[in-house]
Amino acid sequence: AAAGGTAVLAILYGGYRMAYIDTLTGLPNRRALDEALSRLPGNYALAMIDIDHLNGFNDTYGHAAGDIVLREVGQLLRRHAGGRAYRYGGEEFCVVYEGRESEKPLPPLERARKAVGIQRVDVPAPAPKRARRNRTPADTKQVSVTISAGCAQRGPQRRTWEDVMKAADAPLYKAKQKGRNRVVAA
């Protein structure tokens, strides 16, 4: 009976992980974010975060290298952003700041931005086209990336989480227009 109960728990846990955890970054995924936001009471702030120029990075180094960068950025956000980090999709993340954390999300977001910018990541080096067949696994290159972030708080004009997320998207695009690698608040 104990073995059967353990097997059932393992199956349930596996199903939960498949449904709510992003397998690449280990962060909660978009489904988990949507559910968390739908239950969020009181004061909160949301930050929308985008890895700058990841598509160009993937074109240069390949998608496997882009995956390495996504994992590293996800872990840096988990450690430094000050709120709960989620993988939103593609090269985007969302950080949720609840209660007292929601009052001052910009300092931890700025710390996370700096942490990402100084982190060196080992990725497979792009080989010249003629030498691709002779490439060895030891051919790596250290790279760094930057992030841009937009942040907004719940308030009288932003009552639903959809309103707050939309409000956080606008300063994210302002950050990109101003040259990227910055945090902008609504």
Side-chain angles (χ1 to χ4, degrees):
T6 302
V8 168
L9 286 176
I11 290 169
L12 290 173
Y13 180 70
Y16 167 81
R17 285 196 58 80
M18 284 180 16
Y20 293 99
I21 303 296
D22 176 61
T23 57
L24 181 63
T25 63
L27 294 175
N29 63 18
R30 173 76 183 270
R31 177 181 286 176
L33 172 65
D34 289 348
E35 286 192 19
L37 292 174
S38 70
R39 295 187 308 265
L40 206 55
N43 293 333
Y44 61 89
L46 300 179
M48 295 301 296
I49 299 164
D50 187 72
I51 301 174
D52 297 329
H53 304 293
L54 188 64
N55 287 335
F57 182 91
N58 284 341
D59 292 345
T60 301
Y61 296 99
H63 289 277
D67 287 350
I68 293 168
V69 167
L70 282 164
R71 275 192 296 274
E72 187 67 31
V73 169
Q75 293 313 306
L76 289 167
L77 290 173
R78 175 182 274 158
R79 286 194 301 264
H80 298 285
R84 176 105 193 238
Y86 294 82
R87 170 93 183 273
Y88 190 73
E91 68 267 11
E92 288 188 312
F93 296 86
C94 182
V95 178
V96 178
Y97 299 90
E98 295 182 57
R100 297 177 112 201
E101 290 179 339
S102 72
E103 296 170 13
K104 296 185 181 176
L106 296 182
L109 269 176
E110 188 61 30
R111 280 193 303 274
R113 184 195 65 77
K114 287 178 182 175
V116 169
I118 63 171
Q119 181 68 39
R120 305 294 288 172
V121 181
D122 289 325
V123 298
K129 289 185 181 184
R130 292 183 186 154
R132 288 190 196 252
R133 288 191 180 105
N134 301 328
R135 207 167 162 216
T136 67
D139 294 333
T140 63
K141 181 176 182 177
Q142 281 197 331
V143 298
S144 61
V145 296
T146 60
I147 58 173
S148 297
C151 186
Q153 286 187 294
R154 183 174 184 260
Q157 284 80 33
R158 302 180 200 122
R159 294 199 173 273
T160 68
W161 65 265
E162 291 95 340
D163 294 339
V164 180
M165 188 171 284
K166 192 176 193 179
D169 256 343
L172 170 60
Y173 287 103
K174 282 184 186 175
K176 291 178 181 185
Q177 291 169 350
K178 291 182 176 186
R180 302 180 193 265
N181 191 23
R182 65 191 69 228
V183 176
V184 177

